[in-house]
Structures are given as C-alpha cells and as structure tokens.
Amino acid sequence: MIIAEQQEQGFTTRQGEVLDAVLSLLVEGREALTMSAVARRASCSKETLYKWFGDRDGLLAATVRWQASKVRAGNWDRQKLDASSLEESLCAFWANWLSVIASRTSIALNRVAVIHAGTARSNLGAIVLANGRFAIGERLKPLLEAGREAGLLAFDDAEEAFRTYFGLVGRDLQIRLLLGDRVELTEAERTHEAARATKQFFALYGAGDDTPHT
C-alpha cells in the first residue's frame, strides 16, 4: 500500500527515503538546508539529487508534496455515494489531516516556510501553499462536488465550501503549533474533532433529510 501511494505521487521508494531525510533535517532544526547535507543524510550523491529534483527549490517542493501526500481522501465511489459513505470519507480525511499537520515534520516544515516567506531567501512559503494547503484542497473538492451531485450537499462554490470546512477543522490549531503549544491529539480526539467539524459543515451545507447529523 505504501509503495502504491509513493508511485501515485510520482516518487520511487528510494526517492521517498531521500525526502524523509530532508524532513528529518528540518525537524532537527537544520534551517540552512543544503543539497550536500541531504546527500550525506540520505547516503546518495548530489548529482542524484539534482537529477531527481532539479535544484534546492525543486527538492523542497517535492518534500512538501511528499508530506502532503499523507493526507488522502480515501476510496469512494461516485456512483454509490450516500450520506453514510460521504460522512465516513470526510471524517477519515480530516482525522488524517489532523494527524499529519500536528506531526513534528509538518510543524518544522511550516515554521521554516513562515520564516522564509518574510525574506528573499527562497520561495518556500509559496511552495508550501501550492503543494500543501492548495493541493489538499484540490484533493478533497472532488468529494465535496460528488456529494453535491448526489443531492447531499448544497453550495455554489467548492473552494468556498472547502475553506469553510478547513476552518471548522483547523480552528486555531496550526497557529498554536507554530507558536510552540505542545498540542497532542490522540487518535480518538482526532476522530472526535473531525466528526464535530463534519456535523458543523453539514449544518451549513447539508441538503436533504438524509444528510449526516452525528
């Protein structure tokens, strides 16, 4: 399953190991990330890194995509989508997102991106937005649109609906994590938070009598 997900994102198993090495360096506080440092940690040559990722920004973009790929919408059938399967898929997506966003790797990556966003040192902030937050939105919006087609949701703009949902789930979590609040959510708490936000989302965008009210 892990190998299939790597291939779906365009990464081989070995490339995934390299990207994990980048994340480990970031978690350790190695803000001045260099191709040489990554090559040493991943036990590969700089030439290989340049061949696979182009340059440092390409490597960082791939790292963000790699981390964001851990948030998945799961398997759902557009033709058989009903209230129960829609609710289950949405809750699973957001519980997964909470797990990823609160991880040490995501916190480290986001902190470095915030620092770089205020300087001309790199475009890491834009990379994180494009391959992280925006990519995740594009991953979930097809499910929201399928729910609308099935008569379970009612909204005019999928992006607006996603942003509302995103706010209901995340609330102030990311800013607290970035500022050092040691938020640790158990699996049960992540499931509860995803269900709470889903109930609120359906209160705003639910259509029909058979939409979830958990």
Side-chain angles (χ1 to χ4, degrees), residues 171-190:
R171 296 191 287 181
D172 63 348
L173 177 62
Q174 282 187 291
I175 188 63
R176 289 168 60 197
L177 291 170
L178 288 173
L179 294 177
D181 191 355
R182 296 183 178 277
V183 181
E184 295 185 8
L185 297 175
T186 65
E187 182 178 355
E189 289 171 333
R190 293 193 298 269

Side-chain angles (χ1 to χ4, degrees), residues 72-73 76 78 81 86 90 93-94 133-149 153 155-166 201:
R72 306 179 64 80
W76 48 275
R78 182 181 293 268
L81 193 65
L86 177 61
L90 290 172
F93 178 91
W94 288 114
R133 153 65 182 86
F134 292 156
I136 289 171
E138 293 307 309
R139 199 169 298 150
L140 186 66
K141 282 188 285 187
L143 177 55
L144 297 180
E145 291 168 342
R148 178 173 60 183
E149 291 175 9
L153 296 173
F155 54 82
D156 294 325
D157 184 84
E159 172 63 18
E160 180 181 352
F162 172 79
R163 290 172 64 186
T164 299
Y165 208 160
F166 187 87
F201 180 75

Side-chain angles (χ1 to χ4, degrees), residues 11 20 31 43 49 54 75-76 87 105 109 118 141 152 178 184 196:
F11 301 119
D20 281 336
E31 184 185 328
S43 299
L49 295 179
N75 298 318
W76 48 275
E87 177 186 21
T105 48
L109 190 57
K141 282 188 285 187
L152 301 170
L178 288 173
E184 295 185 8
R196 172 198 55 76

Side-chain angles (χ1 to χ4, degrees), residues 25-26 28-34 56 112 115-116 121:
L25 289 170
L26 290 172
E28 293 168 11
R30 307 292 180 84
E31 184 185 328
L33 193 70
T34 65
R56 183 175 178 276
V112 175
I115 292 171
H116 283 215
R121 290 155 55 187

Side-chain angles (χ1 to χ4, degrees), residues 11-30:
F11 301 119
T12 66
T13 299
R14 181 61 178 129
Q15 288 170 337
E17 292 171 351
V18 171
L19 298 175
D20 281 336
V22 177
L23 290 170
S24 69
L25 289 170
L26 290 172
V27 169
E28 293 168 11
R30 307 292 180 84

